Every structure is written in C-alpha cells, then in structure tokens.
Amino acid sequence: MARKCLIEKANRDPKYKTRKYNRCKLCGRRRAYYRKFQTCRICFRMLSLKGEIPGVKKASW
C-alpha cells in the first residue's frame, strides 16, 4: 500500500510535465501500471478474476 502523501503528490500538477508519473487508482502502487486500465497488475488481476473488467478473461489453452 502506498503512502498517502505520495498519492497526494502524484495527483498534483508537476512543475514540468516530464515529472508526472502514474499510480494505480485503487491502491496507489507506482510500479507495474497498466495505462489502458489505470490499475496496477495486482488490482488488474483481482478485478479481472471477479469479472469486473469487460472483455477480459483468463487465458487457457
């Protein structure tokens, strides 16, 4: 779980646009972020297994 101060810092507008970084909307994690879904890999897996992300299902072959 990310610290609250870092989540707040990420929500502010940076002085320069290159300093902006993405965080998961659910837990605030910075690494392993999927831009398309705006979540980290852990939250993405949790949501997809519950069926809350349309069009995503576990692969099996």
Side-chain angles (χ1 to χ4, degrees):
M1 191 72 179
R3 292 194 325 235
K4 190 168 186 164
C5 65
L6 293 177
I7 295 171
E8 293 298 320
K9 185 178 178 183
N11 289 334
R12 291 189 310 221
D13 289 332
K15 188 174 183 179
Y16 304 104
K17 66 178 183 177
T18 56
R19 290 185 183 175
K20 180 157 176 52
Y21 55 91
N22 298 315
R23 284 193 176 266
C24 176
K25 299 295 180 188
L26 301 175
C27 66
R29 183 180 165 93
R30 184 174 175 187
R31 296 182 179 196
Y33 177 84
Y34 293 125
R35 284 185 189 175
K36 185 174 181 180
F37 302 103
Q38 297 182 348
T39 58
C40 66
R41 64 177 176 83
I42 299 166
C43 294
F44 176 78
R45 185 166 192 258
M46 181 181 63
L47 292 173
S48 62
L49 289 176
K50 288 181 184 177
E52 296 179 8
I53 302 175
V56 176
K57 63 180 182 179
K58 189 170 191 253
S60 61
W61 61 90

